Amino acid sequence: MTGAAAPRRGRGRPPAAERADGPGARERILEAARDEFAERGYDRTSVRGIAKAAGVDAALVHHYFGTKDEVFAAAVEVSFEPALVVPAVVGPGPAGVGERLARYFFDVWEDPAARAPLLAVIRSALTHEAAAKVLRGYVLRRVLERVAEELDVPDPRFRAELAASHMIGIAVLRYVIRVEPLASAEPEAIVAVVAPTLQQYLTEA
Amino acid sequence: MTGAAAPRRGRGRPPAAERADGPGARERILEAARDEFAERGYDRTSVRGIAKAAGVDAALVHHYFGTKDEVFAAAVEVSFEPALVVPAVVGPGPAGVGERLARYFFDVWEDPAARAPLLAVIRSALTHEAAAKVLRGYVLRRVLERVAEELDVPDPRFRAELAASHMIGIAVLRYVIRVEPLASAEPEAIVAVVAPTLQQYLTEA
């Protein structure tokens, strides 16, 4: 006998709590959250529903992320990975930052798997103050602070927000309203016009 | 006796059909439509509800505007009066067009009475394909065609849409998500940064 308290790894189906809390549980919860928010919208998504979709207990979702708002913030961030992206886009310095930002934008949005949850975020934020508050208070604040730290312009937050506003407006017209010719334009054609604007906002005094 | 068929003007309450069809009925319907779409959203607004709010028969709404989609298009257009605005903004020629467009944008959006229905339009278009289709097919097509006619740049529609995307993104971040410092910035501070971008999109080859 190996002792009742020792986990019985590799022998049959492990107990639910063990599976749930094992490596990958956090990622499974985030993926489930992303899908739930994308499919149901902010209002009709619950921590209980996310937990069920991830095959874990709701307590584990609370343990990793806290409230529904905090799960939402984490699920949004996982869609565009600001911790990786901000250094990659802004880190190399001012030369070419506008083009890197515009290209990054299309890398994310032209990928349907990434687009669906981002659309869900925009829709949720536009229709539910709670979701707008999360986006404003967690996601945008963190990203914009990180970007602003790297910029050498007056009012860096303001400039970063104006650059972001352009990208968000393009996402709305191209991917949601789908107005032509913007909806069918090659990303490169849009980058060619927009990158110099972003470059100017993020670098010129 | 004055004859049973003659309308009894000035004597007591006129019959409903007469009041409804009188001068101002069209405007009353549009105002009611604007309020209904703003308050209830696209999905839960009906021609019947608009007619009731305007104090007219639903048949009169159909008579003036056609379907619910067409009422929606008319209610959107009345919010920013493209027939007046496009000539005022683009008509005077290329010099200063970026600044005129940016100022016009804030003239409309800084007025709470105009903002509410515009927010409702953006929300509806982001959450209901039917509303997005109306915005794409009627409103934006008409406005952008009119603007593009006046522009002397390659791909004038594309350029006009990129300018519009910037304004729409600012509206989303400033008035819906309300991210700071953009939400509290003076309109003039935003115009100062954005007008040169619009100017470039709308005039430079």
Side-chain angles (χ1 to χ4, degrees):
Chain A
M1 200 177 160
T2 58
R8 301 179 305 161
R9 293 202 185 278
R11 206 193 285 177
R13 203 158 167 263
E18 190 184 328
R19 273 179 298 138
D21 209 1
R26 200 178 177 280
E27 287 62 37
R28 274 211 319 285
I29 293 170
L30 274 183
E31 265 179 46
R34 218 172 73 154
D35 293 347
E36 290 284 302
F37 282 117
E39 270 170 39
R40 297 173 195 277
Y42 187 83
D43 240 24
R44 286 181 296 145
T45 297
S46 65
V47 166
R48 187 187 297 263
I50 292 168
K52 197 178 165 195
V56 303
D57 195 86
L60 195 68
V61 178
H62 286 299
H63 167 72
Y64 276 125
F65 299 103
T67 65
K68 170 177 160 180
D69 284 357
E70 288 164 322
V71 186
F72 181 72
V76 173
E77 291 200 344
V78 88
S79 297
F80 64 103
E81 302 182 296
L84 296 177
V85 165
V86 173
V89 168
V90 189
V97 66
E99 200 173 312
R100 287 195 299 276
L101 178 57
R103 282 192 206 288
Y104 160 65
F105 170 83
F106 286 110
D107 281 353
V108 173
W109 279 92
E110 292 292 307
D111 172 8
R115 190 190 305 168
L118 283 172
L119 283 179
V121 165
I122 293 187
R123 286 198 176 104
S124 296
L126 283 168
T127 46
H128 297 289
E129 170 55 21
K133 197 178 161 188
V134 172
L135 204 59
R136 177 169 73 231
Y138 292 73
V139 185
L140 284 171
R141 190 166 55 77
R142 281 189 214 153
V143 175
L144 291 167
E145 267 171 15
R146 215 175 293 191
V147 171
E149 275 170 17
E150 306 277 346
L151 300 180
D152 185 24
V153 287
D155 302 318
R157 274 282 287 272
F158 181 60
R159 295 297 194 89
E161 287 170 7
L162 285 175
S165 76
H166 202 349
M167 301 283 88
I168 288 170
I170 290 172
V172 168
L173 280 187
R174 177 175 169 94
Y175 302 109
V176 186
I177 318 273
R178 298 201 310 277
V179 64
E180 293 295 356
L182 189 61
S184 305
E186 286 296 320
E188 278 307 305
I190 304 172
V191 169
V193 181
V194 169
T197 301
L198 304 180
Q199 181 71 28
Q200 197 185 346
Y201 288 0
L202 300 178
T203 65
E204 287 175 33
Chain B
M1 200 178 160
T2 58
R8 301 179 306 161
R9 294 202 184 280
R11 206 193 286 178
R13 201 158 168 265
E18 189 182 328
R19 273 178 298 139
D21 209 2
R26 199 176 178 284
E27 286 63 36
R28 273 209 321 285
I29 293 169
L30 273 183
E31 265 178 45
R34 218 171 73 153
D35 293 348
E36 291 283 303
F37 282 117
E39 269 170 41
R40 297 174 195 277
Y42 186 83
D43 239 24
R44 285 181 296 145
T45 297
S46 65
V47 167
R48 188 186 297 263
I50 292 168
K52 196 177 164 195
V56 304
D57 195 87
L60 195 68
V61 178
H62 286 299
H63 167 73
Y64 276 125
F65 299 103
T67 64
K68 170 177 160 180
D69 284 357
E70 289 164 323
V71 186
F72 181 72
V76 173
E77 290 200 344
V78 87
S79 297
F80 63 104
E81 302 183 296
L84 296 176
V85 166
V86 174
V89 168
V90 189
V97 66
E99 200 172 312
R100 288 196 298 275
L101 178 58
R103 281 191 206 288
Y104 160 65
F105 170 83
F106 286 109
D107 282 351
V108 173
W109 279 91
E110 292 292 307
D111 172 8
R115 189 191 304 167
L118 282 173
L119 283 180
V121 165
I122 292 187
R123 287 198 175 103
S124 297
L126 284 169
T127 46
H128 297 289
E129 169 55 22
K133 197 177 161 189
V134 172
L135 204 60
R136 176 170 74 231
Y138 292 73
V139 185
L140 284 171
R141 190 166 56 77
R142 282 189 214 153
V143 176
L144 291 167
E145 267 171 15
R146 215 175 292 190
V147 171
E149 275 169 17
E150 307 277 345
L151 299 180
D152 186 24
V153 285
D155 303 318
R157 273 282 286 272
F158 181 60
R159 294 297 194 90
E161 287 169 9
L162 285 175
S165 77
H166 202 349
M167 302 282 88
I168 287 169
I170 290 172
V172 168
L173 280 187
R174 178 176 168 92
Y175 301 110
V176 187
I177 318 274
R178 299 201 308 280
V179 65
E180 294 294 354
L182 189 60
S184 305
E186 286 298 320
E188 277 307 306
I190 304 171
V191 169
V193 181
V194 169
T197 301
L198 304 179
Q199 181 71 27
Q200 197 184 347
Y201 288 1
L202 300 178
T203 64
E204 287 175 35

